[in-house]
Amino acid sequence: MNNIQAYNNWAESYDDVTNKTRDLEATAIRKVLGRKKFRKILELGCGTGKNTEWLLTRDGDITAVDFSGEMLAKAKEKITSEKVNFVKGNIKKKWKTTRPKYDLLTCSLILEHIKDLDFIFKQAYRVLRMGGLFYIGELHPQKQYVGSKARFEKEKKTVVLDCFTHNISDFTGSAIKNRFKCLEIRDWYDEDDKTVPRLITMVFRRLM
Ligand SMILES: C[S@@+](CC[C@H](N)C(=O)[O-])C[C@H]1O[C@@H](n2cnc3c(N)ncnc32)[C@H](O)[C@@H]1O
């Protein structure tokens, strides 16, 4: 099963089953971006719209992209605002936007599925305005080292998705190479386990 098929299968249960990573990332993005407002937002890997709903409170227009039709269908059931444009697309292919128009780009729990981070930062530079922010919330590399991967249960079987481990220096290296400045990096822990961080968040600013 490839990742598109896997996410199409996962969509039915994604919002309902216990998922500490999903929930911690929801907390993290809200704390990291706080009260900032944005005019134009690009959300990659919007999934069932967990963060799209909150991003709407940041006042801007949102383009929310995902390659899974079933995940997008779930998001569309929840979010009917005209300020959100849902787009089916694969972020590994050249992004369609032709000019720098967004002031926020978010990637929540999607980049572990992308091998070539450099391509993502290159595209990000193209579509973000100067000074625009790039927020990333990902499974922490330390959590990946101990075997954690995106996975779900289907008909009593565990489906494990195709994932890549990126070190923090892979993110910062690609960022610097593509003219981004790192503004902050934070580790996020489970309430009941302060040994290995579950999540990492990073915020980059697009330079000139
Ligand atoms: C773990 S889910 C996260 C969803 C949502 N951002 C959240 O935090 O709950 C990852 C999402 O990324 C999407 N995705 C994975 N690889 C993708 C790709 N190459 N292009 C577009 N979407 C992708 C999946 O379909 C899925 O909806």
Side-chain angles (χ1 to χ4, degrees):
M1 192 184 296
N2 65 30
N3 278 358
I4 300 182
Q5 293 163 331
Y7 274 111
N8 279 337
N9 274 281
W10 194 353
E12 190 57 42
S13 63
Y14 186 84
D15 285 343
D16 301 328
V17 293
T18 305
N19 182 336
K20 287 183 179 180
T21 306
R22 174 200 63 204
D23 295 347
L24 187 58
E25 201 282 327
T27 303
I29 190 171
R30 286 154 179 75
K31 285 198 176 150
V32 169
L33 295 178
R35 291 161 184 259
K36 289 188 185 72
K37 303 280 185 190
F38 302 93
R39 273 190 335 107
K40 285 210 164 285
I41 300 171
L42 177 60
E43 183 190 17
L44 301 180
C46 63
T48 60
K50 172 194 91 188
N51 292 334
T52 321
E53 279 180 315
W54 178 76
L55 288 169
L56 263 174
T57 67
R58 304 299 84 205
D59 278 2
D61 293 324
I62 303 172
T63 302
V65 180
D66 205 288
F67 70 6
S68 158
E70 297 299 322
M71 295 293 269
L72 279 174
K74 286 279 172 195
K76 285 179 190 168
E77 275 172 23
K78 284 187 235 167
I79 301 159
T80 54
S81 167
E82 287 178 359
K83 295 181 87 168
V84 182
N85 179 26
F86 287 107
V87 177
K88 193 170 176 188
N90 187 339
I91 70 159
K92 290 187 204 167
K93 303 203 172 129
K94 191 176 175 193
W95 305 353
K96 290 207 173 89
T97 308
T98 51
R99 60 190 171 87
K101 64 175 185 183
Y102 294 103
D103 35 44
L104 175 67
L105 167 62
T106 73
C107 281
S108 296
L109 308 178
I110 180 173
L111 294 183
E112 73 171 308
H113 301 307
I114 307 296
K115 188 173 178 191
D116 186 358
L117 285 185
D118 222 35
F119 175 79
I120 300 299
F121 275 93
K122 203 170 277 168
Q123 300 302 307
Y125 183 85
R126 271 200 326 109
V127 304
L128 273 172
R129 290 214 285 231
M130 193 176 68
L133 298 186
F134 185 3
Y135 162 90
I136 295 173
E138 266 309 314
L139 193 61
H140 202 290
Q142 287 184 43
K143 196 80 181 166
Q144 292 185 304
Y145 300 149
V146 296
S148 215
K149 278 184 177 189
R151 71 185 71 211
F152 67 101
E153 303 294 321
K154 182 92 180 172
E155 287 151 11
K156 301 212 170 120
K157 286 197 182 127
T158 304
V159 179
V160 182
L161 285 90
D162 294 332
C163 296
F164 302 91
T165 300
H166 299 299
N167 292 316
I168 298 169
S169 58
D170 296 330
F171 288 101
T172 53
S174 275
I176 292 164
K177 188 172 161 194
N178 290 289
R179 302 206 50 73
F180 283 86
K181 178 180 180 183
C182 183
L183 299 184
E184 68 159 81
I185 299 182
R186 278 166 78 173
D187 300 326
W188 298 80
Y189 293 83
D190 292 332
E191 282 294 318
D192 57 354
D193 179 4
K194 304 292 181 203
T195 53
V196 179
R198 174 172 293 278
L199 205 76
I200 186 163
T201 56
M202 291 161 267
V203 181
F204 300 95
R205 171 173 290 141
R206 195 258 206 208
L207 300 173
M208 206 160 79

